[in-house]
Amino acid sequence: MIVASWNVNSISVRLPHILEWLQEVNPDVVCLQETKSVDEKFPLAQLNEAGYQCSFFGERAYNGVAILSKLPAENIQKGFIGEQEPFSRRFIEAKVGPIYVLNCYIPNGQAVGSEKYEYKLRWLESLKSYLHQHKNSALPTVLCGDFNICPLDVDICKPEEFLGTIMCSDVERQALDEIKNWGFVDTFRKVNEQGGEYTWWDYRMGAFRRNLGFRIDHIWATSALCEKVSRSWIDKSPRKKERPSDHAPLLTEFSI
DNA sequence: ATGGTTGTAAAACAA
């Protein structure tokens, strides 16, 4: 079973890339972020035609998440149960086959110390509470998404330049560690030792060509499920196309 | 150096 996560930066603009990629890679579950589409305009027919069921939670212009799956999605949850403030649409969850799939688009945070950074930290706190109150780490669960955080220094292209700045600051990394400590293992890091592997490159300054990237997209799995990981890799091919998303898809294969 | 690019949506704003 292959699970993928991809920030597509507009599902309507990226639909041709997505359809081509689904046909080529044939993943079983795909978590999408930044769909930037109201639910009425979600391209459901084309994705159904491609063989995928769709659960989606979108809004106008910003944010938006979706889960595509070959098997039907059950127990769909949009947003956090009883969330403390009306967050933008950044979380969707479903059970697909034997796996609980949690898809999140963690706020970017803009700059350390800004209001948006505080919002990011509150959002992380809400995700942690949601896990502790409503989820069971003994069950096979994946947390996928654009986390907008580099867990380790080797996940940053130039740590000497970026450590302490947004996506690479101690406070947000600590908050993410607390979420991980609920019971997740980083599937990519479990089977890949090398640093310098990135999932996001800024559109500006030829960042992709110069490989100035960050590993901010992740697929985490609860520990028993993580034992079943056979491969995890970043597919840079869609990032090389014309008019790409600024993120590349991340994939993890489970032997189940 | 406060630049550069992309998407949304129609002037900024978010990333």
Side-chain angles (χ1 to χ4, degrees), chain A residues 96-211:
Chain A
V96 179
I99 294 188
Y100 294 84
V101 178
L102 281 54
N103 178 17
C104 66
Y105 173 43
I106 294 176
N108 168 281
Q110 194 173 60
V112 174
S114 68
E115 274 185 32
K116 291 193 178 72
Y117 184 72
E118 297 303 319
Y119 180 81
K120 182 179 199 172
L121 296 176
R122 289 202 301 281
W123 202 94
L124 288 163
E125 190 65 30
S126 293
L127 173 57
K128 184 173 78 172
S129 297
Y130 177 74
L131 292 168
H132 283 279
Q133 289 173 29
H134 299 284
K135 307 308 296 176
N136 179 352
S137 60
L139 298 174
T141 305
V142 289
L143 179 68
C144 305
D146 176 0
F147 290 17
N148 269 313
I149 298 174
C150 295
L152 302 171
D153 292 359
V154 295
D155 300 321
I156 307 167
C157 56
K158 291 184 173 181
E160 69 283 4
E161 184 175 338
F162 293 109
L163 266 179
T165 68
I166 198 67
M167 306 188 294
C168 312
S169 72
D170 286 339
V171 173
E172 61 191 301
R173 286 165 124 190
Q174 179 59 40
L176 188 61
D177 261 341
E178 289 177 17
I179 289 167
K180 200 176 184 202
N181 290 340
W182 173 80
F184 287 122
V185 178
D186 181 333
T187 64
F188 180 85
R189 198 44 84 203
K190 164 105 180 166
V191 293
N192 296 282
E193 287 184 359
Q194 76 280 17
E197 295 275 328
Y198 311 126
T199 62
W200 176 78
W201 302 259
D202 201 303
Y203 281 126
R204 297 165 291 188
M205 298 180 290
F208 184 66
R209 179 177 49 78
R210 297 155 66 199
N211 200 27

